[in-house]
Amino acid sequence: MQDKVEERSLVNVLNRLRKDGYKYDFKVGRDGKLCTMEEKESFAPDQVRIVDHYRFEGESNPDDMSILYALETASGLKGTISNSYGPYADENVDTFLKQVEDLGKNLDKNDK
């Protein structure tokens, strides 16, 4: 993971991630699964790994806070998904990513 100090904007982080192979834009579909924007492939929480995340805060407005996730799927697709904080957050994205995080926590406990 590179130093995040110089990556102050969402655009800079996205450009770096694209260079690192994270070329897909993901969303959470109506079925609650992660999918590509074209909805050609979909993935359950156990088929997704959160590689990294980046928080962005608005300089003048706290409503401008967002988070960007770098994700990798079991089939090897690498991409990103973003979400807002607070009342503008997409509940489906939050729910899906929490399930992914919870699976990771369970795996860590089983490895010990």
Side-chain angles (χ1 to χ4, degrees):
M1 184 166 51
Q2 295 181 356
D3 185 14
K4 295 181 186 178
V5 174
E6 294 183 17
E7 298 173 341
R8 301 259 182 232
S9 74
L10 178 63
V11 173
N12 289 343
V13 173
L14 276 173
N15 285 337
R16 186 184 63 77
L17 288 171
R18 294 281 188 257
K19 288 178 185 176
D20 291 344
Y22 292 85
K23 63 180 184 173
Y24 291 92
D25 293 317
F26 291 119
K27 66 179 183 177
V28 176
R30 289 184 213 148
D31 61 357
K33 292 183 177 181
L34 185 78
C35 60
T36 59
M37 291 303 242
E38 302 81 23
E39 297 188 19
K40 291 183 179 179
E41 293 187 62
S42 64
F43 306 93
D46 63 342
Q47 298 174 306
V48 176
R49 183 172 70 94
I50 298 173
V51 176
D52 208 345
H53 68 280
Y54 305 85
R55 288 183 56 161
F56 302 95
E57 297 181 14
E59 291 182 25
S60 61
N61 186 350
D63 289 339
D64 291 340
M65 296 189 333
S66 63
I67 189 164
L68 176 71
Y69 293 91
L71 305 175
E72 187 171 349
T73 67
S75 67
L77 294 183
K78 293 167 66 174
T80 60
I81 190 169
S82 63
N83 203 8
S84 298
Y85 284 104
Y88 301 111
D90 183 329
E91 189 176 322
N92 294 330
V93 172
D94 282 344
T95 300
F96 182 85
L97 292 172
K98 179 160 180 11
Q99 291 172 345
V100 172
E101 289 173 351
D102 287 348
L103 285 169
K105 290 175 186 170
N106 289 339
L107 290 174
D108 290 342
K109 289 177 187 174
N110 292 337
D111 288 342
K112 291 183 179 177

